[in-house]
Amino acid sequence: MTGAGETQTGVADPLGEALAAAVQRTGARYGGVYVLDPAEEVLGLIALCGIPVDAFAPWWRTAYAAHGPAQDSVRNERIVWVSSLEELARCYPRVAASLPYEIAFAMVPLRGVRHCRGTMLLLWAPDRSPRLSPRERGRLASAARRVARVLNSAPSAPAIPDRPRFVRPHHSDTSSQSAHEAATLVERLPVGTLSLDLAGRVTYVNTAAASLLGSPLEQLLGTEPWMSLPWLDNIAYMDAYRIAMSSREPLGLTVLRPPDQWLDLRLHTDDTGTSILVTPDHSSRPIGTRPASTGAPPDSRIHLLMGLAAALTETVGVQDVVDLVGDQILPAFGAHGMIMSTADAGRIRIIGYRGYEPAVIDQFDGMPTDADLTPAGHALATGASSFFADRGELAHLYPRAPQISDKQAWAFLPLLSSGRPIGCLLIAYNHPHTFPVAERSILTPLAGLIAQALDRARLYDAKHGLALALQQTLLPQALPSVTGLEVAARYFPAGQGMNIGGDFYDLIRLTNTTAAAVIGDVQGHDMMAAALMGQVRMAVHSHATAGAAPDEVLIHTERDLADLNASRFVSCLYAHLDLARQEVSLASAGHPPPLLRHADYKAEVVDISPGPPLGVGAGTPSYPVTTLPLVPETLLALYTDGLVEDPGTDITRTIADLARHLGESGDLPLHQLADSLVQHTRRTNQPIDDIALLLLQPNRLAES
């Protein structure tokens, strides 16, 4: 057997000796050494002590630019101490999503190495003290200095291998009992038994295990089970193995040995290795189905966590987060109810729930955030999770907590973002439910991801509410009444982005017989577009009421935009309506042409010569004016391009189609006609932009 100071080929390994000594002297279970490859900008693992190399495969390499404990240790040359999975989820939620195991670990920087930068990883049991004492920090620093000296003595920086080498830890065999008698005892047992060393290799297998696994002894000894038994080479088994190694709690797993033999595996891990008990599973089930593993969800926890994490990235608003938790996360854990809450002025405010009656929610909402009153208050105050398998456990620790629902088991998960509690997620069951370590170790990082999504969603909702309020303030709340003119207007934001934009419309009463109508579209879908829209609308209003002609209104507004240096262009259509003369004068700044429906219901696209959009900096632009008759019962339709845009379709075709529908709509009342035009567009194409529509129709009163 090779020692810690030599490789498996017997060659001296000073780095391995230094790493094994660090693991032993600090009381850690496992250890590893990462070095930075500046060319590839990655931290690579070059040596691993006490844990099978393949079991640690997802973490062999990590991007240096990412936010993580190893990166922080190297970048800032400081010890990064993470005492629990909860702290990992709080400080590094993305890392916790890929490392959902109950462990405590430290990243210790390797200072003074002239060839490279790096850090040493040391992992402990999760039940150790959550704080590093000054003496422990001194041991860590001393161990790191020894590893750094070994690296510094090499002529060049170590190359990051494709596969890190395994280092056997220091340990002594304290057993004084006969190995032969122990082997005889195990051989007599009717259950299969395997023993794995700290490298994950099979060191002992009895006859019953070889028979159940369907493999000769000589093909199992000295191999890793997932290598010699291909049907064990899957994420579910490896995940269960990692849980057993990190938690040291017994863990069960049911696997299928092809073609149809189900086996129950029971894993027991300590500081010397892992024992696996193998028994046949005699329960009848159809071929191809799979039972739930003891202490873990039926599917791989990593797959489940990654799938839920991906779904959370697609949420936008707070309600999206609530719906995702209710629709996907509750079924994934077989739960029956959830309450998501935040804290406001010392009170618990519920922002979403499933599986509870509204009357129950009304009693919960507004309760004090007293840490001694409810577990939710404790989670908000301390950032610590609480799990209660039945009513007795909850009543014992929180006797004052109101029992106002029929739920029987609960998980209270703090929602932590940037290290601070922003809320609490309660997951509840209708019957008593134990929370094994495997389930807790996925709920904790999942809560961190939910918290990040919730934090983003709250920010989005706040920004969206502010932007929408800004836009609604800048758009006319009501159009003025003009004698002899009927008007209908519609505005619909796009179904994507911030749901705000720069589309605007207005009707300006000039005299008793004249009015101005304007419609426009500012480039963009953000608060800047909404703000600029308000400025353009006010500029047009100012120039129109000052008596400027249609082309002059656009020229003056173009100059105003140049003074603002807005760096955005605006399309605009301005119409001067003279009801006494029964005519309309139009000027366009790069805007879609209006539609005109005559008294006989024949509609046409107005042939108008547009000038350049406002704000393009085209020197002294020209905006030709087109004058048309506008007799009573004639209808003029102004619109923005969101009403007629259809990707892949020529816009002239969609405008012609809109004119056709306008003519075929008959004598619908004006407001119904506006709704019909919008519904027709939404039925024939999916709007990708804001929609503004303004309908103008002189009536018979204009003749008098």
Side-chain angles (χ1 to χ4, degrees):
M1 180 179 294
T2 58
E6 60 184 33
T7 65
Q8 295 181 25
T9 59
V11 178
D13 180 15
L15 178 62
E17 174 60 34
L19 179 58
V23 170
Q24 182 184 44
R25 292 174 184 175
T26 59
R29 284 182 178 172
Y30 320 119
V33 174
Y34 281 96
V35 296
L36 174 63
D37 183 339
E40 295 188 21
E41 285 290 310
V42 298
L43 285 169
L45 190 67
I46 61 174
L48 191 63
C49 178
I51 186 171
V53 171
D54 286 332
F56 210 74
W59 307 282
W60 287 357
R61 296 166 71 88
T62 179
Y64 184 56
H67 177 56
Q71 291 87 340
D72 282 357
S73 175
V74 175
R75 194 176 293 121
N76 303 317
E77 289 197 346
R78 67 178 179 90
I79 295 176
V80 176
W81 167 243
V82 178
S83 62
S84 65
L85 180 58
E86 286 187 347
E87 185 175 358
L88 182 63
R90 180 167 60 250
C91 301
Y92 303 99
R94 292 186 181 180
V95 177
S98 66
L99 192 68
Y101 306 106
E102 292 290 349
I103 51 175
F105 67 88
M107 307 297 306
V108 190
L110 303 175
R111 299 187 177 95
V113 182
R114 64 180 184 275
H115 302 304
C116 63
R117 303 170 68 187
T119 187
M120 178 175 64
L121 166 67
L122 295 171
L123 300 99
W124 287 265
D127 56 358
R128 62 144 289 149
S129 170
R131 299 185 62 185
L132 280 179
S133 68
R135 176 175 294 182
E136 287 176 314
R137 287 184 175 271
R139 288 175 181 166
L140 293 179
S142 176
R145 283 195 296 271
R146 182 176 178 183
V147 172
R149 284 196 298 269
V150 173
L151 292 175
N152 219 9
S153 65
S156 61
I160 298 177
D162 292 335
R163 173 188 177 88
R165 66 181 181 274
F166 175 76
V167 175
R168 186 174 300 280
H170 292 305
H171 68 273
S172 58
D173 186 3
T174 58
S175 174
S176 60
Q177 300 186 59
S178 167
H180 174 72
E181 290 299 323
T184 302
L185 169 66
V186 172
E187 192 63 29
R188 286 196 298 263
L189 294 176
V191 298
T193 60
L194 293 90
S195 177
L196 311 184
D197 63 13
L198 292 176
R201 293 187 296 266
V202 177
T203 57
Y204 183 86
V205 55
N206 69 354
T207 303
S211 175
L212 287 169
L213 297 173
S215 180
L217 293 174
E218 57 273 13
Q219 291 187 15
L220 292 171
L221 289 172
T223 69
E224 295 165 306
W226 51 88
M227 300 296 290
S228 53
L229 302 170
W231 43 273
L232 277 184
D233 186 13
N234 57 65
I235 294 178
Y237 171 77
M238 189 60 75
D239 193 42
Y241 181 66
R242 294 189 190 111
I243 296 171
M245 294 196 70
S246 62
S247 69
R248 301 298 170 91
E249 293 187 10
L251 187 126
L253 181 73
T254 305
V255 298
L256 174 65
R257 192 199 84 188
D260 56 6
Q261 176 63 63
W262 289 96
L263 299 175
D264 288 329
L265 308 183
R266 191 76 178 176
L267 286 73
H268 302 261
T269 300
D270 63 13
D271 290 339
T272 63
T274 299
S275 298
I276 302 179
L277 303 182
V278 186
T279 56
D281 178 56
H282 296 296
S283 59
S284 60
R285 59 174 61 87
I287 300 300
T289 63
R290 177 181 170 181
S293 309
T294 304
D299 295 320
S300 164
R301 298 172 334 114
I302 294 292
H303 277 170
L304 173 62
L305 190 55
M306 290 303 158
L308 295 175
L312 283 167
T313 63
E314 299 176 0
T315 57
V316 178
V318 169
Q319 191 58 48
D320 295 334
V321 178
V322 171
D323 290 342
L324 185 136
V325 173
D327 295 340
Q328 297 192 34
I329 293 177
L330 290 191
F333 291 91
H336 305 98
M338 74 91 179
I339 298 175
M340 191 179 297
S341 60
T342 60
D344 180 25
R347 298 282 175 176
I348 295 174
R349 298 301 179 191
I350 294 174
I351 58 175
Y353 65 93
R354 291 286 179 88
Y356 281 88
E357 293 296 328
V360 174
I361 297 301
D362 289 341
Q363 295 182 64
F364 276 129
D365 195 25
M367 289 183 62
T369 55
D370 184 348
D372 296 327
L373 177 61
T374 66
H378 182 264
L380 287 167
T382 65
S385 301
S386 301
F387 300 90
F388 302 94
D390 53 47
R391 281 184 172 270
E393 287 188 10
L394 179 64
H396 176 69
L397 291 178
Y398 294 91
R400 296 191 297 138
Q403 300 287 338
I404 53 179
S405 77
D406 58 355
K407 299 295 187 282
Q408 301 292 322
W410 305 265
F412 291 84
L413 307 170
L415 301 177
L416 304 167
S417 180
S418 300
R420 59 183 176 84
I422 63 169
C424 176
L425 174 62
L426 163 64
I427 294 179
Y429 293 81
N430 290 340
H431 47 72
H433 175 84
T434 58
F435 294 90
V437 62
E439 194 166 87
R440 296 186 188 200
S441 62
I442 192 174
L443 284 171
T444 299
L446 181 59
L449 295 173
I450 293 172
Q452 283 197 323
L454 179 61
D455 212 15
R456 292 193 306 269
R458 292 170 67 186
L459 180 61
Y460 173 86
D461 284 351
K463 287 183 176 180
H464 179 250
L466 177 62
L468 199 57
L470 172 65
Q471 185 181 40
Q472 290 175 345
T473 300
L474 295 175
L475 284 171
Q477 301 303 303
L479 294 176
S481 175
V482 177
T483 302
L485 184 68
E486 292 185 46
V487 181
R490 295 291 183 270
Y491 174 80
F492 295 94
Q496 49 186 303
M498 287 288 289
N499 274 348
I500 64 167
D503 286 21
F504 66 95
Y505 60 87
D506 204 356
L507 180 67
I508 307 164
R509 185 170 50 208
L510 300 177
T511 69
N512 289 336
T513 59
T514 61
V518 62
I519 196 162
D521 183 1
V522 178
Q523 177 189 15
H525 296 86
D526 52 22
M527 292 183 66
M528 183 65 73
L532 185 59
M533 171 268 287
Q535 292 173 306
V536 172
R537 177 173 165 253
M538 291 300 103
V540 170
H541 193 285
S542 174
H543 299 309
T545 54
D551 56 336
E552 294 174 340
V553 169
L554 297 183
I555 291 172
H556 294 328
T557 304
E558 159 68 24
R559 291 174 183 169
D560 293 337
L561 280 180
D563 293 340
L564 290 172
N565 194 24
S567 300
R568 299 196 184 200
F569 66 81
V570 182
S571 73
C572 183
L573 178 65
Y574 181 86
H576 181 273
L577 295 91
D578 191 327
L579 300 177
R581 294 186 177 183
Q582 298 185 357
E583 65 181 21
V584 59
S585 297
L586 302 161
S588 172
H591 200 80
L595 306 179
L596 185 66
R597 192 182 74 179
H598 301 282
D600 60 0
Y601 300 114
K602 291 181 179 180
E604 62 176 324
V605 180
V606 176
D607 185 11
I608 187 172
S609 299
L614 307 177
V616 298
T620 304
S622 173
Y623 297 101
V625 176
T626 301
T627 301
L628 302 171
L630 192 67
V631 299
E633 308 306 326
T634 301
L635 186 144
L636 184 67
L638 314 182
Y639 54 91
T640 56
D641 55 7
L643 190 67
V644 291
E645 277 188 335
D646 186 8
T649 303
D650 186 353
I651 192 170
T652 58
R653 292 179 56 187
T654 55
I655 292 175
D657 177 69
L658 184 66
R660 199 162 37 248
H661 182 73
L662 176 63
E664 294 171 353
S665 297
D667 57 352
L668 283 175
L670 210 58
H671 285 280
Q672 292 184 25
L673 177 60
D675 293 334
S676 175
L677 292 174
V678 174
Q679 291 170 4
H680 173 75
T681 299
R682 289 185 166 181
R683 186 168 58 248
T684 56
N685 63 284
Q686 179 62 40
I688 59 174
D689 199 356
D690 306 323
I691 292 175
L693 173 66
L694 185 60
L695 300 182
L696 307 161
Q697 185 174 40
N699 56 33
R700 292 294 175 183
L701 293 176
E703 292 182 314
S704 61

